[in-house]
Amino acid sequence: MAAEKCIALIAHDQKKDDMVDFARLHRQTLSQYQIFATGTTGGRVLEACPELEVIRLKSGPLGGDQQIGALIATGEIDMLIFFIDPLTSMPHDVDVKALMRLATVYDIPMALNRATAERLVDFSAAAGKAANDSPDPANANHADGGT
């Protein structure tokens, strides 16, 4: 059995409502993942979608971004969705940049805005459906009558 896929969800303060709307809209796809989220973002997502399995880490400025970075570095995160607010100065901007660098270094899919996140989860859902719909070669009938 394959290991459970994990996704990280993070949203800056001005983008938390957008993340909650995104989670509501994509709750079926997100339910196929173990979700790690920074503190407040995780709490807001859980409040809106209590059926989702969300592990809340520390708030981003208090080390949550670094915790997610460590999970990326150890291969435990398969996708990062981080709704950033490019118009607001962040005191922990270096942590945000380090997290994006780790996602790039470890080559995991990363969305920094809603439009990209929509495409990533749509692709993920389509890929999962295709994998479930493809025939199992061990059970396929062979034209030559063999097993």
Side-chain angles (χ1 to χ4, degrees):
M1 182 173 155
E4 185 174 26
K5 294 285 190 176
C6 296
I7 189 169
L9 301 179
I10 308 171
H12 284 150
D13 288 345
Q14 298 302 317
K15 299 292 184 172
K16 289 194 190 314
D17 289 342
D18 201 22
M19 180 63 80
V20 168
D21 290 341
F22 173 82
R24 277 191 193 117
L25 182 63
H26 295 286
R27 64 178 50 176
Q28 184 174 356
T29 300
L30 292 175
S31 70
Q32 298 169 25
Y33 288 87
Q34 168 66 65
I35 300 168
F36 288 90
T38 50
T40 308
T41 300
R44 296 276 310 273
V45 168
L46 266 174
E47 187 178 293
C49 307
E51 71 278 9
L52 295 178
E53 187 177 345
V54 179
I55 295 175
R56 290 177 62 196
L57 304 173
K58 294 185 178 294
S59 172
L62 299 178
D65 294 338
Q66 292 178 339
Q67 286 178 299
I68 288 179
L71 291 168
I72 291 170
T74 57
E76 296 174 62
I77 299 291
D78 300 293
M79 184 187 311
L80 172 63
I81 296 179
F82 190 169
F83 288 176
I84 63 169
D85 178 5
L87 301 178
T88 303
S89 176
M90 300 292 157
H92 65 295
D93 190 54
V94 293
D95 297 333
V96 173
K97 287 180 181 171
L99 180 60
M100 292 188 300
R101 184 181 70 79
L102 284 170
T104 302
V105 167
Y106 288 95
D107 200 26
I108 67 163
M110 172 177 54
L112 300 177
N113 60 44
R114 175 99 182 233
T116 306
E118 298 281 352
R119 273 36 166 218
L120 274 181
V121 297
D122 288 347
F123 179 79
S124 175
K129 183 178 179 339
N132 290 336
D133 289 347
S134 58
D136 182 355
N139 293 330
N141 291 330
H142 296 280
D144 64 2
T147 56

